[in-house]
Amino acid sequence: MLTDGPLDVLTGDYLAELTMLILGRDRLKNPELGYAKTFLRQLEECLGLAHERGVRIVVNAGGLNPAGLAGAVRALAAKVSVPVSVAHVEGDDLMPYGEGALTANAYLGGAGITACLRAGADVVVTGRVTDAALVSGPAAWWFDWAPDDHDRLAGAVAAGHVLECGTQATGGNYSFFTRHDVARPGFPLAEISEDGSSVVTKHPGTGGVVTVGTVTAQLLYETQGVRYLGPDVTARLDTVRLAECGPDRVALSGVRGEAPPDTLKVGVTRIGGWRNEVVFVLTGLDIEEKAALVRAQLAPLLSPVASAAWTLSRTDHEDAGTEETASALLRLVVRDPSPDRVGRPLTSAAIELALGSYPGFHVTAPPGPAQPYGVFESAAVPAAEVPHTAVLPDGTRVHPAPPASEARGPAAGAPEGQRTPARSPARAPGTAPGVAPGTARAAVTAPGTAPASTGEPARRRANRTGTAAQYPSGSLAKANPASPNRITGRCADSVT
């Protein structure tokens, strides 16, 4: 991502819901943990190159302990002798929160990220923010957008949503994958312009494909209805227009935004109890009868267990050529608040049926102990009650003001489709906020490119790879500096 083309901001999304549960258990063992340790290993390899090329890094790898990860990043930077300034965003952690909650985190927007970048941070670490905030926050900094620039923010949120799952936008996990070479898809980029429109693309020479189809598939991923609610803006997905404008280039434009709701989503994880399982292999004839025999034999043992679920998967084939293809799988999954009722004694008893049950009895694994399982649920809290905080590189703590919400915003009563967002304060073209006209913006650009200015398009790329706890992700890269407010090239007619 750093070597295949120019970037302005490299982002990383590390926080699946499962990850929060994993980090919560880590924090129980050691209060100094609670962040994605894999980020530090990845950062050690690329921090020097990112600094050399003037690429800002924005990640949510802070998880439950963004301050701790920010400190670890400073220590790493000192170790590898790379002089970077580090800031972090906190305030999303709402613990203690209800009985039995392991973690409880509000989904923050991008305002804290914007504040950190405006203060000159090279690396910004956050806890739980929306995935799209990793894009909209840097875009708002780059172009100096105001909180009520709803259309522009909505455009960046839509681009961020397309990028948040990485290669799902370039042919990965795509229903029509057989039409393209997706053996090694490249990560997506978004070239974001000052008006909030963008072009989704990827670095030249990388695999996969970017089409209206791949972008549409990801745009509709994990959405409900046409209003995509977020902490900074409500994006109207029914206003998105997509158009192919070159090989592996899809323009995303026309996105309208509305004031956000006055509440924030809260993700809560709990230890739901304890679970165990046994998978019986049923081979040959009389599969249904063999399954019924096992269920009947274990019924008395399972009577005190809170939950026992049987699933018979008919993976067997008639006149099969091998034992494996002649076998079906009978899975028993047990759950209970007590580990004792679903522990090794139960699974051992199932194995001990071996010589007194169905012919050919065997299982896929030896008996094991009970394991804890997690539960995720969501709630809502008033946004004004969440202490969204940006801790700047010098330690200053800044509290971004909550944006005007749909319930109390000045445009709340306007007819749908007629809300006009306020724009950023006027300034001389090519200057950054607080910089005198004609002064270059204090940002280092990639080698061979012109200095950055707030009138230039920016492009951003995001990706996810690895396990739920290991998601290296995206980037915001500079587009053609000769094109002040749009991406070079003509696009085809738009389609929804």
Side-chain angles (χ1 to χ4, degrees):
M1 297 175 67
L2 287 169
T3 58
D4 288 351
L7 307 175
D8 291 311
V9 178
L10 176 67
T11 76
D13 179 4
Y14 288 72
L15 300 182
E17 287 76 13
L18 174 61
T19 314
M20 302 302 285
L21 181 71
I22 294 171
L23 296 180
R25 295 185 64 190
D26 284 349
R27 186 169 62 175
L28 288 178
K29 300 173 185 176
N30 183 348
E32 296 183 359
L33 295 179
Y35 55 79
K37 299 182 291 295
T38 51
F39 169 66
L40 291 173
R41 295 198 294 270
Q42 295 157 348
L43 186 65
E44 186 170 5
E45 298 176 358
C46 67
L47 181 60
L49 181 59
H51 180 66
E52 175 187 327
R53 298 192 172 194
V55 177
R56 310 295 178 103
I57 296 175
V58 179
V59 298
N60 62 10
L64 306 177
N65 187 7
L69 181 56
V73 170
R74 294 185 185 96
L76 174 62
K79 173 186 172 183
V80 297
S81 300
V82 178
V84 295
S85 60
V86 182
H88 73 274
V89 178
E90 61 185 30
D92 59 295
D93 194 337
L94 303 183
M95 289 293 287
Y97 185 94
E99 183 179 357
L102 180 64
T103 67
N105 297 81
Y107 287 71
L108 302 180
I113 296 171
T114 302
C116 290
L117 292 171
R118 283 175 175 165
D122 300 304
V123 179
V124 180
V125 172
T126 79
R128 172 54 87 188
V129 296
T130 64
D131 296 348
L134 298 172
V135 180
S136 61
W141 156 69
W142 186 272
F143 295 115
D144 192 31
W145 290 338
D148 57 358
D149 275 330
H150 293 148
D151 289 351
R152 293 166 172 171
L153 287 168
V157 165
H161 180 57
V162 170
L163 301 180
E164 68 184 49
C165 291
T167 51
Q168 284 191 183
T170 58
N173 198 20
Y174 182 49
S175 296
F176 305 103
F177 70 98
T178 57
R179 302 178 184 177
H180 309 285
D181 180 7
V182 294
R184 190 174 176 81
F187 293 118
L189 316 164
E191 299 172 344
I192 301 179
S193 295
E194 194 275 340
D195 65 356
S197 65
S198 61
V199 173
V200 179
T201 183
K202 61 188 182 70
H203 279 318
T206 58
V209 63
V210 179
T211 67
V212 168
T214 65
V215 173
T216 299
Q218 175 57 29
L219 187 66
L220 298 178
Y221 178 69
E222 294 183 338
T223 59
Q224 297 178 354
V226 300
R227 283 179 167 83
Y228 190 56
L229 304 180
D232 296 318
V233 68
T234 295
R236 288 288 301 265
L237 298 183
D238 57 342
T239 63
V240 175
R241 296 295 179 267
L242 302 177
E244 293 188 10
C245 55
D248 293 316
R249 293 178 65 81
V250 173
L252 192 161
S253 62
V255 188
R256 298 298 302 272
E258 300 172 349
D262 59 2
T263 58
L264 296 180
K265 176 182 175 180
V266 178
V268 183
T269 66
R270 307 175 189 275
I271 299 297
W274 298 82
R275 72 180 299 279
N276 212 330
E277 71 174 59
V278 182
V279 180
F280 302 89
V281 182
L282 315 177
T283 305
L285 304 176
D286 305 320
I287 296 297
E288 297 288 344
E289 291 77 6
K290 290 174 180 177
L293 175 59
V294 174
R295 291 191 185 102
Q297 289 178 312
L298 289 178
L301 190 64
L302 298 176
S303 59
V305 175
S307 171
W310 294 92
T311 304
L312 178 60
S313 299
R314 295 301 300 264
T315 54
D316 54 306
H317 299 271
E318 187 174 355
D319 296 327
T322 65
E323 182 176 329
E324 180 179 8
T325 55
S327 299
L329 300 177
L330 177 64
R331 182 185 304 272
L332 167 64
V333 177
V334 290
R335 293 183 174 88
D336 198 272
S338 169
D340 298 332
R341 285 195 287 268
V342 293
R344 187 182 293 272
L346 185 147
T347 53
S348 295
I351 304 304
E352 290 163 3
L353 292 175
L355 300 182
S357 189
Y358 63 89
F361 181 104
H362 64 289
V363 296
T364 59
Q371 299 292 332
Y373 69 89
V375 174
F376 175 85
E377 59 187 28
S378 62
V381 296
E385 296 180 6
V386 177
H388 190 169
T389 305
V391 183
L392 308 184
D394 63 359
T396 301
R397 303 176 68 84
V398 175
H399 303 281
S405 70
E406 185 69 28
R408 62 180 185 275
E416 184 172 304
Q418 297 183 18
R419 295 177 186 168
T420 304
R423 295 302 180 193
S424 303
R427 60 177 184 275
T431 64
V435 179
T439 303
R441 183 173 185 164
V444 181
T445 62
T449 63
S453 76
T454 54
E456 296 173 4
R459 74 179 181 185
R460 188 236 175 214
R461 147 181 185 155
N463 54 73
R464 283 182 170 182
T465 60
T467 66
Q470 301 173 359
Y471 283 132
S473 186
S475 55
L476 183 69
K478 190 183 339 293
N480 184 355
S483 178
N485 291 304
R486 62 182 177 84
I487 304 302
T488 301
R490 301 185 65 86
C491 295
D493 292 339
S494 297
V495 297
T496 302

